[in-house]
Amino acid sequence: MKVSHRITAPLAAATLLVFSSIAAAGSAHAGTMSASMEKKLVAVCEAIKDNNRLSLYRAIKASGVSYRTLAEGLVCNGQDMYSFAMNNKANETGALIAKRTNLDERSLTAKR
């Protein structure tokens, strides 16, 4: 039986961008990302879009990357985590992201 995983191109491309910037901060070999890490970061974007706090918590924990680091570099469909949540009407996950990154939601929405 063949199992295929469907990853949308924008999510995958955006995930590559964030991991490259995260890896660049810690290593000189920042050009590549493992398929496993890409899958984990795509899962973070999908959990945000699904507006499921528990799934988001689990996806971030599985990625091994902190909320703050992801908030500074993760790009989901060309948007930062919080903007992606708000544009997908994912208020629950947006509130969690703001809380975990010590960001004020009112100032974030004012920037739009």
Side-chain angles (χ1 to χ4, degrees):
M1 177 193 312
K2 184 176 180 182
V3 178
S4 66
H5 297 284
R6 183 177 166 173
I7 299 174
T8 60
L11 281 177
T15 305
L16 289 172
L17 174 66
V18 69
F19 188 72
S20 295
S21 64
I22 291 170
S27 144
H29 305 89
T32 62
M33 173 178 31
S34 70
S36 172
M37 179 54 98
E38 179 181 349
K39 185 176 177 180
K40 290 174 185 176
L41 294 175
V42 169
V44 171
C45 291
E46 289 173 350
I48 292 169
K49 186 175 181 179
D50 292 342
N51 200 28
N52 187 324
R53 293 170 61 110
L54 182 58
S55 293
L56 178 59
Y57 170 79
R58 288 178 177 166
I60 290 177
K61 185 169 182 157
S63 76
V65 182
S66 72
Y67 279 88
R68 171 74 67 183
T69 303
L70 288 172
E72 291 173 356
L74 181 64
V75 177
C76 300
N77 287 347
Q79 303 168 342
D80 63 87
M81 286 173 50
Y82 184 78
S83 297
F84 182 69
M86 294 298 98
N87 287 334
N88 285 288
K89 297 182 181 22
N91 297 327
E92 295 291 322
T93 53
L96 179 62
I97 292 164
K99 178 181 176 183
R100 291 292 185 141
T101 57
N102 295 323
L103 300 172
D104 182 18
E105 289 181 80
R106 290 179 300 207
S107 68
L108 290 172
T109 54
K111 289 181 182 177
R112 286 202 206 154

